[in-house]
Amino acid sequence: MRVIAHPDPTSLAEAAATTIVDLITSIDRPRANIGLAGGSTPKDTYERLRQREVDWSRIDLWLSDERWVAHDHPDSNGRMAAEALVDHVPATFHRPRWSEYLDAGDAAAYYEADLRRLMPDGIADLVLLGMGTDGHTASLFPGTDGLGEETRWFIANEVPQLDTWRLTATVPMIQRARTVMVLTAGESKAEVLAEVLEGPDGRYPIQLLRHAKGDVMWMVDEAAVSRLTATVIDRPSG
Ligand code: 6PG
């Protein structure tokens, strides 16, 4: 695991875009895939990513998690990713189905079938994640049933604290990925980040990354690491 700190959210986004390009360019297979994070932090990274020189025709993009809303809903992670990145590049975008007549669990099952066609071994090349101030990641929230899923790749997860359903990659799906990159910025994340990285295991969903099989990199800004006292922090910008 590496914690790579940048002075501010802008330099974080710029560095994240560069690292993502380097990662997918280094993959010597015909196609590569990226699970895109939702929320607000990744937007700047996606907008920078779309300006980079990438052979997007060999890239499959999917969603690490999605809200259970229509594709054009303002809260949709897929809509954010489309507006910031996918609508601007010739990558193949795999979004979960949505219909008011569809059950979230069925939509997750259909999506998992899509992902199984995309990566038969279940090993994603790169999964992008964010972290909430409660230590959730993707749509794996504290105390939710989805945290206990040990077999499925992608599920519907009821989130009582938000009074909603979400669709999310599961713990094993994330832990199998070749690389996981967590994009986290801001003072509001500092306290939970210190507990996640330096406190006891098993208290926050995102601590699943302690047991990840692949490379884990935390792409953060100085505000987010301001409470760390026992973690080695790489500072590429010096
Ligand atoms: C979502 C995300 C979620 C997000 C965190 C951090 O659907 O909201 O997948 O896990 O990454 O909540 O969100 P911010 O980047 O907006 O702080």
Side-chain angles (χ1 to χ4, degrees):
M1 180 202 80
R2 292 177 61 203
V3 176
I4 307 154
H6 303 278
D8 50 51
T10 299
S11 52
L12 189 175
E14 192 64 17
T18 300
T19 304
I20 292 166
V21 170
D22 291 348
L23 271 169
I24 54 181
T25 307
S26 70
I27 292 170
D28 61 2
R29 281 178 274 106
R31 296 191 70 77
N33 71 79
I34 307 173
L36 298 176
S40 59
T41 305
K43 190 168 179 292
D44 192 1
T45 297
Y46 297 161
E47 290 172 344
R48 295 165 189 274
L49 203 47
R50 79 189 193 210
Q51 298 161 25
R52 300 296 177 88
E53 279 304 308
V54 174
D55 177 7
W56 290 106
S57 65
R58 60 183 281 269
I59 305 298
D60 289 294
L61 300 173
W62 52 283
L63 292 169
S64 311
D65 75 316
E66 180 56 294
R67 287 80 180 276
W68 185 232
V69 293
H71 279 187
D72 60 355
H73 191 285
D75 291 347
S76 165
N77 287 335
R79 174 177 166 177
M80 181 275 287
E83 290 174 348
L85 173 60
V86 190
D87 289 351
H88 307 270
V89 298
T92 304
F93 192 24
H94 307 263
R95 292 183 72 168
R97 290 168 177 76
W98 155 262
S99 160
E100 60 184 304
Y101 306 109
L102 194 58
D103 167 80
D106 292 338
Y110 283 128
Y111 198 51
E112 178 169 324
D114 292 343
L115 296 178
R116 285 177 180 273
R117 278 189 287 277
L118 197 55
M119 46 188 124
D121 60 2
I123 301 175
D125 289 312
L126 172 60
V127 174
L128 303 179
L129 296 172
M131 179 187 71
T133 52
D134 60 355
H136 83 262
T137 193
S139 283
L140 297 166
F141 286 80
T144 58
D145 293 345
L147 284 168
E149 177 55 52
E150 296 179 349
T151 309
R152 295 283 305 280
W153 298 12
F154 208 88
I155 58 171
N157 190 28
E158 186 172 13
V159 186
Q161 51 268 53
L162 298 179
D163 188 24
T164 189
W165 282 84
R166 292 282 194 93
L167 304 184
T168 185
T170 59
V171 171
M173 183 68 182
I174 295 169
Q175 289 179 327
R176 284 197 294 267
R178 290 186 179 84
T179 302
V180 175
M181 179 188 288
V182 190
L183 300 167
T184 297
E187 175 64 36
S188 69
K189 305 287 176 73
E191 186 173 344
V192 68
L193 184 58
E195 291 178 39
V196 163
L197 294 181
E198 300 180 348
D201 196 1
R203 292 178 58 203
Y204 300 98
I206 199 166
Q207 290 178 312
L208 67 91
L209 294 179
R210 291 192 184 189
H211 313 285
K213 297 180 179 63
D215 295 333
V216 176
M217 55 177 77
W218 289 79
M219 294 292 268
V220 295
D221 69 354
E222 287 296 343
V225 297
S226 57
R227 302 284 185 88
L228 296 184
T229 58
T231 302
V232 174
I233 300 172
D234 295 347
R235 289 184 163 92
S237 52

